[in-house]
Structures are given as C-alpha cells and as structure tokens.
C-alpha cells in the first residue's frame, strides 16, 4: 500500500509521488527513465518505498503499468483528471517483482560495503534489466532497457569470464552453481539481442561450459569466519566498494595522514579525482575544510587514497575522517547510525549467503553471534527499519518474526556476487 502525494508540476502536468509512511535509513533511488524513479528500502524490499513521476501525463504509461499495475495507473489518472488527487489517498500497487529486484541490486551496489566481485554484481544488474524489459510492451522503451543491459553486460564480461575460468574443474555448492548458471543464461539471451556474433558475450558462455562439467557439492563447508564488516564511509556520498571502510588516521606531528584503502579494480580517473576527505570533531560535529585525496598505487599490497591533513590544534582521538564524493549533495549520516546500519546489513547478508551455500542454520548463527558481540548494548531498533539487538538474539536462540530477517528472501535474495564471496571465504 502506497500513499498518493501530488505537486503542481510543469505546464500544469502534475508531479506524483507515491510513498510509504515508514521512515527508513537503507533507502536508494534508481531512475528508470527520464522523470520516473523508484525507491527501495533494503530493510523492506517486499514493496516499494516510493515511486516518483515527474509530469504524470507525459510519462510512459507502459512503464507506469509495469511498476504500479494498470488498476493503480487508472486510479491515479482518474484522480488527477477529476481534481480529487488529495494528499493521503491510499493505493494498492502491483508486486512488480522483477523491477523491485532491479532496484534491490542497484541499492546493494551502493550500500553493501563488502569485498564483492564487481564484475559478477554488474553482470547481475545487466541481466535483471533485460528481464525487466520483457514486461514492457513499448518497443522503444523496451529496446532502451535491452541496450543498457547489453552495454553493462559487455563491460563486465571480461571479469566474469576470468572468474568462471578460475572455477573450471571445481565442485561448486548448488546455490552458487545455480546463480552462475542464471548469469550465463542471461548472457546467452543478450547475445541473441545483438546483430551478428559477439565474442565478448560469447566468452562468458564458453567459460561457463567448462565450469558446468564439474560435479556439484552437496553443501559448502563452514571454515574460519572472515572479519566482521565495518564502515566509515557513507554510501550516500561514495558508492560502496570504491574505497574500503577501514579509514586510518596516522599522526604526523601537527598533521595527520588519512589512509583509505581502494578496492580493486580501481575506480576510473573521473571518480578517483573527485574523492575528498574532511576531519570532523566527534564531540561537536564541526567539520574542517575538505581536502582532495590522492590515489597511491606505489606501495606494496592494496592501493590507497591518502593525503596529509593539518590537525588545526585538534587531537587525533577526537576526530573522525569523512570520505565523500565532491559531487555528492547528500548530507552525511551520524557516525553511529551509519555504522550500525551498514554493519547489520553486511553481516546479515553474509550470514544469509553462507547459510544458502551450506544449507545449514549453523553458519548463519555463528556469524550472528559475532555480530551481537560487536554491537554495543542498546534498546530499540538499531537503525530506522532495522531490528533491535534483542531481535537478533531471539533469532539465534530460536525464532524471531521481525521483518528484517525476510529481507534476504524473494526480491532481496543473495546476489551471485555474495554467494561467490562466501564460497571464496571458505
């Protein structure tokens, strides 16, 4: 159920916002077409958080019906035509499962601060766009979505092929095998959408054929758990996996060197040249002037973004570093809320992926116990839309009905990249 909100719009064509009334922290917006954007809340991917349409009467009706369902589109159109489109009108909308899956994957691409294979993630983004296109009747718009999918699939194909070739001969757990099979099938479908042979897309299918010859594992074993995720980077200001979350402040006399690990593959120069850092006083929230970070690939090990920043009389212990994109217009979240939201998101999704591979709750509960140990004692929700600490404890000890624990089912199910990361960890 969404609530109708309207605004005057341009040239008398009203802007429409359909929104839930539930506040949420883990929200991400995806623009599907000019003037049509959707919001998904990773704490409740079973429904839209909001749908925004600029100039309703000029928007592509085919896309609106795919997102909302024909009855909801007719109802909104009728309300606007009659002048009865008042704030607060409730509307039932269609499930739009494949479109919500598209929005979930895009949201995870920004929010999920885990060392995932970006090629696999982008491949899944491409495939879901091609699937969503099949729900459209409009030839031009459908072609636009397919073309976007092909571009994204080609861009990630080399990385996907390298990953698959590295698995040749390996016995894979069923969940990962199934996910990779879907990706390969998606590449094969996209190859049929282009004119003539496409060697880049075909290479993925060839690599998959080598992998598919190996027998399946009955279940993945659970070894030593990798370190808990942590975060000091707000994904509303910098997309996840551009830089790592372990931001270090190294004192150098009257200044401090900020060291931020860079994920591989490295971001494009366009992105790298926009990353900045500012020091923020933990007590007052006062921020110093920002400084541009420099990408350093000369040191052994992981490349880093770094810069020396003057302390201006402050103590290192009283400061935190806030990394952001110079083009970002989003305000930074509070340090505590951000860390909790990202930590719980990352660890719950890790737990779900590990459980899916092993087909056992043991793997899930081992990680959740470690998460509980890392969370400070507190009452109430850990963030807007999230569970309380006690909800996580109840799940480990038996059961919990909190909706957070269904966020990794259906449209929110583990990504192929998440399953691959869990497999590589063990």
């Amino acid at each position: 159920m969404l609530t109708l909100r309207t605004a005057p719009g341009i040239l008398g064509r009203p802007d429409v916002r359909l929104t839930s009334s539930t506040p949420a922290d883990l929200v991400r917006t995806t623009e599907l077409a000019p003037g049509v954007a959707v919001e998904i809340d990773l704490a409740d991917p079973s429904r839209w958080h909001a749908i925004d349409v600029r100039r309703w009467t000029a928007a592509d009706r085919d896309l609106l019906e795919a997102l909302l369902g024909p009855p909801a589109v007719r109802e909104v159109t009728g309300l606007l035509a009659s002048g009865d489109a008042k704030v607060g009108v409730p509307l039932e909308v269609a499930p739009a499962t494949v479109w919500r899956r598209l929005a979930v994957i895009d949201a995870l691409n920004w929010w999920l601060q885990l060392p995932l294979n970006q090629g696999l993630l982008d491949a899944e983004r491409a495939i879901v766009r091609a699937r969503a296109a099949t729900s459209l009747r409009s030839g031009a718009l459908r072609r636009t979505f397919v073309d976007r999918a092909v571009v994204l699939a080609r861009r990630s194909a080399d990385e996907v092929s390298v990953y698959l070739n590295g698995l040749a001969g390996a016995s894979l757990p069923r969940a990962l095998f199934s996910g990779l099979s879907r990706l390969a099938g998606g590449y094969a479908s996209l190859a049929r959408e282009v004119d003539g042979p496409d060697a880049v897309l075909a290479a993925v299918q060839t690599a998959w054929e080598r992998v598919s010859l190996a027998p399946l594992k009955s279940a993945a074993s659970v070894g030593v758990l990798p370190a808990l995720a942590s975060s000091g980077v707000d994904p509303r200001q910098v997309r996840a996996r551009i830089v790592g979350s372990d931001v270090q402040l190294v004192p150098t006399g009257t200044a401090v060197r900020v060291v931020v690990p860079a994920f591989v593959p490295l971001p494009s120069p366009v992105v790298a040249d926009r990353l900045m850092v500012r020091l923020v006083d933990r007590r007052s929230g006062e921020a110093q002037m920002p400084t541009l970070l420099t990408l350093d690939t000369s040191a052994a090990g992981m490349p880093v973004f770094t810069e020396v920043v003057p302390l201006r009389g402050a103590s290192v212990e009283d400061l935190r570093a806030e990394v952001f994109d110079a083009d970002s217009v989003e305000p930074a979240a509070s340090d505590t809320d951000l860390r909790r939201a990202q930590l719980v998101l990352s660890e719950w999704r890790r737990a779900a992926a590990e459980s899916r591979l092993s087909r056992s709750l043991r793997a899930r509960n081992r990680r959740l116990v470690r998460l509980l140990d890392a969370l400070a004692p507190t009452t109430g929700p850990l963030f807007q839309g999230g569970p309380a600490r006690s909800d996580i404890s109840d799940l480990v000890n038996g059961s919990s009905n909190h909706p957070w624990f269904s966020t990794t089912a259906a449209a929110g199910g583990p990504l192929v990249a998440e399953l691959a990361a869990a497999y590589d960890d063990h």
Side-chain angles (χ1 to χ4, degrees):
M1 181 76 70
L2 294 179
T3 303
L4 175 64
R5 318 279 179 185
T6 60
I10 303 172
L11 300 176
R13 295 170 174 171
D15 296 340
V16 169
R17 179 171 173 82
L18 300 166
T19 179
S20 68
S21 58
T22 307
D25 284 331
L26 295 173
V27 174
R28 179 70 189 171
T29 301
T30 296
E31 185 165 351
L32 298 174
V36 180
V38 293
E39 292 180 8
I40 201 76
D41 173 19
L42 291 176
D44 187 8
S46 64
R47 58 175 180 164
W48 293 118
H49 185 71
I51 298 176
D52 284 307
V53 183
R54 295 195 308 273
R55 302 169 63 189
W56 175 270
T57 54
D60 189 287
R61 190 180 180 97
D62 192 22
L63 178 58
L64 296 181
E65 290 185 350
L67 297 175
L68 302 171
V73 172
R74 287 195 298 269
E75 185 173 357
V76 173
T77 301
L79 289 169
L80 294 174
S82 66
D84 292 332
K86 300 174 183 176
V87 171
V89 177
L91 289 170
E92 289 284 353
V93 300
T97 304
V98 68
W99 292 96
R100 281 189 291 107
R101 179 62 175 174
L102 185 157
V104 165
I105 298 174
D106 277 11
L108 290 171
N109 187 42
W110 278 88
W111 272 105
L112 194 57
Q113 191 73 0
L114 290 176
L116 304 181
N117 183 305
Q118 190 65 42
L120 292 178
L121 200 160
D122 284 341
E124 196 160 4
R125 291 177 63 219
I127 301 312
V128 77
R129 277 163 168 75
R131 284 182 53 217
T134 63
S135 70
L136 299 172
R137 296 185 304 274
S138 170
L141 187 61
R142 181 172 180 168
R143 188 69 246 172
T144 296
F145 272 92
V146 171
D147 288 346
R148 290 175 184 170
V150 170
V151 169
L152 191 53
R154 279 182 175 141
R155 198 163 62 205
S156 55
D158 285 348
E159 198 169 349
V160 174
S161 296
V162 168
Y163 180 80
L164 291 174
N165 285 327
L167 295 177
S171 179
L172 300 179
R174 187 174 298 276
L176 178 57
F177 184 95
S178 177
L180 292 171
S181 177
R182 287 195 303 274
L183 282 192
Y187 269 89
S189 296
L190 284 175
R192 292 191 289 270
E193 296 286 347
V194 300
D195 294 330
D198 190 303
V200 175
L201 299 180
V204 173
Q205 189 64 31
T206 300
W208 169 245
E209 288 170 359
R210 298 191 192 102
V211 174
S212 63
L213 296 176
L216 292 177
K217 272 188 180 179
S218 58
S221 60
V222 179
V224 178
L225 292 177
L228 264 70
S230 62
S231 180
V233 181
D234 187 339
R236 287 172 290 189
Q237 297 183 311
V238 181
R239 181 175 66 78
R241 292 176 313 287
I242 294 295
V243 293
S245 59
D246 185 18
V247 181
Q248 298 181 43
L249 300 180
V250 182
T252 58
T254 60
V256 64
R257 177 172 289 279
V258 180
V259 181
V260 187
F263 275 102
V264 177
L266 294 174
S268 70
V270 173
V271 175
D273 291 346
R274 296 200 311 257
L275 288 185
M276 305 189 77
V277 64
R278 57 187 158 221
L279 299 181
V280 180
D281 190 296
R282 293 182 182 275
R283 300 162 301 176
S284 67
E286 183 178 353
Q288 296 184 11
M289 288 294 292
T291 302
L292 190 67
L293 287 167
T294 302
L295 179 59
D296 182 0
T297 59
S298 61
M302 180 179 288
V304 298
F305 286 93
T306 185
E307 195 55 64
V308 175
V309 183
L311 288 171
R312 306 185 191 281
S315 170
V316 175
E317 290 74 19
D318 295 332
L319 297 172
R320 62 179 173 86
E322 188 177 277
V323 180
F324 64 99
D325 188 311
D327 289 346
S328 172
V329 296
E330 294 286 348
S334 76
D335 200 38
T336 301
D337 288 348
L338 174 64
R339 286 180 180 276
R340 283 179 177 171
Q342 285 200 306
L343 177 63
V344 176
L345 173 71
S346 298
E347 292 306 307
W348 169 246
R349 295 197 67 87
R350 270 183 167 181
E354 289 167 357
S355 179
R356 188 72 62 90
L357 288 185
S358 65
R359 290 187 282 177
S360 167
L361 296 183
R362 179 169 168 263
R364 183 199 72 182
N365 289 344
R366 286 181 65 196
R367 180 164 291 283
L368 294 184
V369 167
R370 297 178 74 219
L371 174 59
L372 287 171
D373 291 341
L375 292 170
T378 184
T379 58
L382 295 164
F383 55 91
Q384 291 190 107
R389 196 179 187 282
S390 58
D391 292 318
I392 299 174
S393 179
D394 289 344
L395 186 68
V396 172
N397 294 325
S399 65
S400 173
N401 294 323
H402 193 281
W404 172 261
F405 302 117
S406 64
T407 58
T408 46
L415 307 177
V416 175
E418 291 179 276
L419 296 171
Y423 173 77
D424 293 343
D425 281 343
H426 299 300

